[in-house]
Amino acid sequence: MFSARKRFAPSDLEGLHVPCEWMEGLGRCELGRPLIVCAPCIGINNGGRFLQEVGVCYKLANSCDILSNLSDALMALEGSLEGIKLGESGDITQIKLEDLTVPVDVLMAGPPCPPWASNGKKCPGEDVRTRVFLAVLLWTIYLTRHGGLLWALLENVQGVLHKIAGCAEPFMAIAIRFLEEHAPEMAWRVDLLNAADYKLPQSRRRVFLQGVRSSVIIQPRVCLCCGRFHEVSMEVLLYVYCLVIDNLRKDFGHNPGKEILGAMEKPPQPMDPFGTVSLASFLKPNLPCTARESLTSIMRSNLGNYEKLIRDKIEAGDVTPGTLVVCELDRAFGKKYSPSMTVGMSPCLKTQLKYLFVISTDDLQLPDAERAYFRWILPQERCALQGVHPRLALHLCNSDLLHALGNAYPVPLIAACGMPVLQMIEKWGRLNSWPPPLSPGDLLELPDVAGHFLPLLTAKPKKESKPKSKSEPKPKLSPKKGKVRKKISKPSLRSVE
């Protein structure tokens, strides 16, 4: 069963699937020089995995994470920790903007999702982790103005698209409007992608917010006489545009660039789905089945209920015999957390999702030991389900590996968003950026992100009911006519006299 502190050996990786199907047809990019990449909330740096697979060299700068236990894994994956801060020094909310290294070409981040996740409390205005996302937005604006940022990619859960009870509007709607106002040099778009459509057998839907600088999107002008691109004239034009925008921001207190860029091309849309793959191709074959007796009594009971549910779905035609089914054995029927079962793929990998059990459906009648799949999904197999090389498992203990994979965003989804942008940068030769310099006083003009967002994300308090005052009882209403009953005193004999 699950062993939290277990470490893996190279022999544990033999025969494991190395995810590479998603790379087919991507090609490679030649950008002329290494990209300078900023990765707040770097985790296991799946953005770097994408760049490596498409042949793009990069250097990390201003990358950080509060988890210090990632140092061994990042050292093995990156070769050094240059440009990375971990632990207390990696808290993005405590890093000053003036301490950031510039210039920066690319920013990729997946801020914490619990404030908007389905299993969270959904109180973003009160959750301290919301401030990490707000800090990432501020970094994006700062690096756009001061660091020549060409491309920003921010990832989170579907909850950022939905309006949470008590909030003014969805978080993403606020973020888009805020970025368009304060970083008009970039064009923005939002996409919802599912890993299952990009050759990963995992049901993982994620929201991607992309910002691409106008100099990357706008094509350079072609001279009608010589037919050549006039790169210098285009750069000068965009440089003057940014200076004008900065002056208008100072003079009028707002940025009219949103209207000027209204007709500008949108960022390139993500690549079309790569296709689907089978879950069996990602699992190590011919492993021994798990003995039912090794499970806890509650898990055995849950497993029996899952098997009954599978048979019912086969009879109903909802499950095709031969398809693999993955069950969460710590989910009991009739309890607070309903049972979760996915057909033909893994459920969305989460930081606390430890007990995933895979069952083959065409041999339910056979003894457990003779079945094709009747076992736990291995932690190192989960690496492939996220598009990560299984060798990552050599550098993290079991619990740290599951936590890191649950926080990561799949490599093929990053490729689907990033490859069109990199191809555009390569085509127009936009890697040599032209960031207009800012004076130290301009730092004071950066927006107050927390002051703008938190009031809109905080649920409005319910009106308190006024305490009832101790006053004279109101006269009763007649149930039939609704008139006030008046108490009439009968005359006494003395009054008649």
Side-chain angles (χ1 to χ4, degrees):
M1 202 181 296
F2 181 80
S3 178
R5 308 312 299 175
K6 179 182 177 180
R7 289 268 183 175
F8 299 97
S11 58
D12 297 322
L13 307 184
E14 295 178 0
L16 287 175
H17 178 82
V18 178
C20 58
E21 295 86 353
W22 58 271
M23 293 174 53
E24 298 174 3
L26 282 185
R28 300 174 75 82
C29 288
E30 298 292 340
L31 301 182
R33 68 166 174 83
L35 282 177
I36 303 176
V37 178
C38 171
C41 314
I42 187 173
I44 55 177
N45 194 21
N46 274 4
R49 305 288 77 71
F50 153 62
L51 295 176
Q52 290 176 4
E53 296 293 350
V54 297
V56 174
C57 298
Y58 65 91
K59 296 179 180 179
L60 291 173
N62 311 317
S63 301
C64 57
D65 204 298
I66 61 171
L67 299 177
S68 57
N69 56 11
L70 297 172
S71 57
D72 291 345
L74 289 173
M75 175 67 76
L77 296 172
E78 304 299 331
S80 73
L81 296 181
E82 183 179 358
I84 305 175
K85 294 182 178 180
L86 299 175
E88 293 183 2
S89 62
D91 184 354
I92 185 175
T93 62
Q94 302 301 319
I95 298 176
K96 298 179 180 180
L97 293 176
E98 50 265 36
D99 294 336
L100 297 181
T101 302
V102 292
V104 168
D105 300 311
V106 174
L107 183 147
M108 290 188 280
C113 64
W116 302 276
S118 57
N119 58 348
K121 296 183 179 180
K122 295 185 178 181
C123 299
E126 302 171 3
D127 196 321
V128 294
R129 289 166 291 192
T130 302
R131 294 184 177 273
V132 178
F133 205 140
L134 301 185
V136 171
L137 293 178
L138 185 59
W139 279 30
T140 304
I141 295 171
Y142 173 76
L143 292 175
T144 299
R145 295 189 191 175
H146 189 55
L149 189 66
L150 296 177
W151 175 46
L153 182 68
L154 309 182
E155 174 267 354
N156 218 277
V157 295
Q158 295 182 78
V160 296
L161 299 178
H162 304 149
K163 181 180 177 181
I164 297 177
C167 298
E169 53 186 318
F171 176 83
M172 188 56 68
I174 304 172
I176 286 288
R177 190 173 60 249
F178 190 78
L179 290 169
E180 288 178 343
E181 175 67 24
H182 296 285
E185 299 88 347
M186 309 276 274
W188 302 93
R189 69 174 294 137
V190 178
D191 296 283
L192 178 63
L193 304 180
N194 187 0
D197 299 327
Y198 289 85
K199 292 190 175 182
L200 289 182
Q202 180 193 174
S203 176
R204 191 182 189 89
R205 291 178 174 83
R206 286 297 180 265
V207 176
F208 289 87
L209 169 62
Q210 284 196 84
V212 182
R213 202 175 191 102
S214 58
S215 65
V216 175
I217 300 174
I218 299 176
Q219 300 180 7
R221 295 177 176 177
V222 179
C223 179
L224 297 178
C225 299
C226 63
R228 296 179 180 177
F229 293 121
H230 285 263
E231 303 287 351
V232 176
S233 60
M234 192 62 186
E235 294 295 334
V236 171
L237 175 63
L238 293 172
Y239 179 78
V240 172
Y241 159 75
C242 282
L243 292 181
V244 172
I245 290 299
D246 288 337
N247 289 330
L248 290 175
R249 183 187 290 118
K250 297 172 184 176
D251 295 339
F252 298 102
H254 72 283
N255 195 333
K258 182 178 179 181
E259 291 77 11
I260 299 175
L261 291 179
M264 189 185 72
E265 283 189 63
K266 292 293 183 181
Q269 65 180 10
M271 301 178 69
D272 294 334
F274 300 162
T276 59
V277 291
S278 66
L279 176 61
S281 65
F282 276 61
L283 302 180
K284 190 173 182 178
N286 304 322
L287 288 181
C289 296
T290 299
R292 198 179 293 253
E293 296 75 20
S294 65
L295 305 178
T296 66
S297 59
I298 295 178
M299 287 184 176
R300 287 197 299 269
S301 175
N302 294 342
L303 179 57
N305 290 329
Y306 277 120
E307 290 177 314
K308 181 180 182 302
L309 180 62
I310 292 171
R311 291 188 179 95
D312 293 342
K313 287 187 174 294
I314 290 177
E315 292 180 3
D318 296 332
V319 174
T320 303
T323 307
L324 297 185
V325 172
V326 180
C327 310
E328 300 178 30
L329 284 195
D330 56 341
R331 296 289 184 94
F333 287 69
K335 299 297 183 180
K336 178 179 179 181
Y337 296 103
S338 59
S340 175
M341 183 180 78
T342 54
V343 179
M345 65 181 66
S346 161
C348 180
L349 299 181
K350 302 175 183 177
T351 56
Q352 300 298 326
L353 201 59
K354 301 177 182 177
Y355 305 106
L356 293 182
F357 202 85
V358 58
I359 302 174
S360 50
T361 59
D362 55 350
D363 52 8
L364 292 173
Q365 74 284 357
L366 296 179
D368 295 344
E370 299 178 11
R371 298 171 68 173
Y373 288 95
F374 189 79
R375 63 173 178 85
W376 300 105
I377 290 183
L378 303 177
Q380 55 269 44
E381 289 174 326
R382 300 190 190 201
C383 294
L385 294 174
Q386 283 284 55
V388 178
H389 197 287
R391 64 173 176 268
L392 174 68
L394 300 176
H395 309 288
L396 291 169
C397 68
N398 209 336
S399 60
D400 292 344
L401 177 64
L402 298 189
H403 192 271
L405 292 173
N407 280 334
Y409 42 116
V411 180
L413 299 188
I414 305 174
C417 294
M419 199 61 187
V421 178
L422 293 185
Q423 290 173 342
M424 194 170 285
I425 293 175
E426 179 185 26
K427 181 178 180 180
W428 304 124
R430 298 305 187 195
L431 196 54
N432 297 320
S433 187
W434 40 264
L438 291 182
S439 63
D442 288 328
L443 293 177
L444 303 177
E445 299 177 8
L446 290 171
D448 179 10
V449 181
H452 179 86
F453 275 81
L454 294 182
L456 300 176
L457 298 176
T458 304
K460 298 179 181 179
K462 297 181 179 180
K463 295 182 179 180
E464 298 180 358
S465 57
K466 296 181 180 180
K468 296 182 179 180
S469 58
K470 297 181 180 180
S471 57
E472 296 182 1
K474 296 181 180 180
K476 295 182 179 180
L477 298 177
S478 173
K480 292 183 179 180
K481 298 182 180 181
K483 296 182 179 180
V484 178
R485 289 179 177 177
K486 294 182 180 180
K487 188 175 181 180
I488 304 175
S489 59
K490 296 181 180 180
S492 61
L493 294 176
R494 289 183 181 180
S495 61
V496 174
E497 297 177 353

